[in-house]
Amino acid sequence: MSPNLSGALLMTASMASFVLNDTFLKLTGGVIPLFQLIFLRGVLSMALVLLLAHSMGALRFNITPRDRSIIVMRGVTEVAIAYFFLNALFNMPLGNLNAIMQVVPLTVTLATALIFREAVGWRRMLAILIGFFGVMLIIRPGAEGFNIWSLYALAAVFCVTIRDLITRRLSPDVPGMTVTAGTTAAVLIAAGLASTTSEWVAISALNTLYISASAVVILGGYYFSI
């Protein structure tokens, strides 16, 4: 399997995992404070990622200071993504949010061409544009749905682009599970601190199930994209 094909399959799996994560969180109905929700998901995700990393022997701390700083910066952008995206997720139609997020392949591709000087070519750009308009045709987002939460979605697009560019700078020998652990820890810590600013609520058994499922699939989103 060529690197291009394996990368495409992994990114497809990552996007599928993120869609499942969004679905499970949306099913909670927005009755749980945002930071409490992210923190609880983070606790479960962190326990799972440490277990997986230990079993795979993929948790390394003896990495270069450069890679360590990149992982920290990536964690910061992931915190911003979680904040902007989940706020948008609970406050706007899912179709409109998905439509806006389809800009990500365009922004990442353009940024990669400009910053890393990678060859893109008109065929690849045309394929991305056709895919983008295809999604627009299916979703048909309405202009009436564009509001402040749409700006949150655009902020999430910007942060995802920065995250992917940062990830590209990591050394190839850094295990993906190590980066996943760093990302999960950053979101967990930030959400834990922020959750102290609002009153926690009791969680139903069904929402506990949704949060647990989200904690599992979000790791696929992190790991496969890395």
Side-chain angles (χ1 to χ4, degrees):
M1 187 181 296
S2 68
N4 253 5
L5 180 56
S6 60
L9 291 175
L10 286 167
M11 188 54 72
T12 301
S14 173
M15 293 302 100
S17 299
F18 281 128
V19 168
L20 288 172
N21 170 73
D22 301 342
T23 302
F24 287 130
L25 292 184
K26 188 80 170 178
L27 286 172
T28 62
V31 297
I32 307 171
L34 179 63
F35 295 121
Q36 178 188 351
L37 179 64
I38 301 175
F39 176 73
L40 293 175
R41 184 192 67 178
V43 170
L44 296 173
S45 295
M46 196 70 219
L48 183 58
V49 74
L50 290 176
L51 180 64
L52 289 173
H54 177 72
S55 64
M56 296 167 61
L59 192 60
R60 284 176 44 192
F61 298 100
N62 58 333
I63 57 178
T64 65
R66 174 182 174 277
D67 285 326
R68 192 177 296 114
S69 64
I70 291 175
I71 292 175
V72 171
M73 288 188 293
R74 190 183 188 282
V76 171
T77 61
E78 199 68 61
V79 170
I81 292 168
Y83 174 75
F84 288 121
F85 182 83
L86 293 179
N87 266 299
L89 178 68
F90 289 119
N91 291 283
M92 66 183 295
L94 191 56
N96 286 54
L97 176 58
N98 282 333
I100 294 173
M101 295 305 294
Q102 297 311 310
V103 179
V104 169
L106 290 172
T107 57
V108 172
T109 302
L110 290 174
T112 300
L114 292 173
I115 297 174
F116 297 133
R117 305 297 180 185
E118 292 189 6
V120 175
W122 68 269
R123 292 181 181 85
R124 188 175 301 170
M125 284 302 302
L126 180 61
I128 293 173
L129 286 171
I130 291 173
F132 173 74
F133 285 115
V135 172
M136 296 297 102
L137 183 64
I138 295 171
I139 297 176
R140 297 180 182 178
E144 68 280 359
F146 197 90
N147 49 32
I148 183 63
W149 305 115
S150 301
L151 297 179
Y152 271 63
L154 288 174
V157 168
F158 175 77
C159 293
V160 169
T161 303
I162 298 299
R163 179 200 66 190
D164 288 351
L165 293 177
I166 290 173
T167 307
R168 187 74 170 181
R169 304 299 296 178
L170 281 166
S171 301
D173 59 340
V174 178
M177 194 57 72
T178 297
V179 186
T180 301
T183 299
T184 306
V187 175
L188 171 63
I189 293 171
L193 293 174
S195 69
T196 61
T197 62
S198 60
E199 185 176 352
W200 280 39
V201 300
I203 302 175
S204 67
L206 184 58
N207 278 342
T208 300
L209 181 62
Y210 289 145
I211 294 172
S212 300
S214 170
V216 174
V217 296
I218 192 66
L219 292 185
Y222 289 157
Y223 182 70
F224 294 139
S225 67
I226 295 166

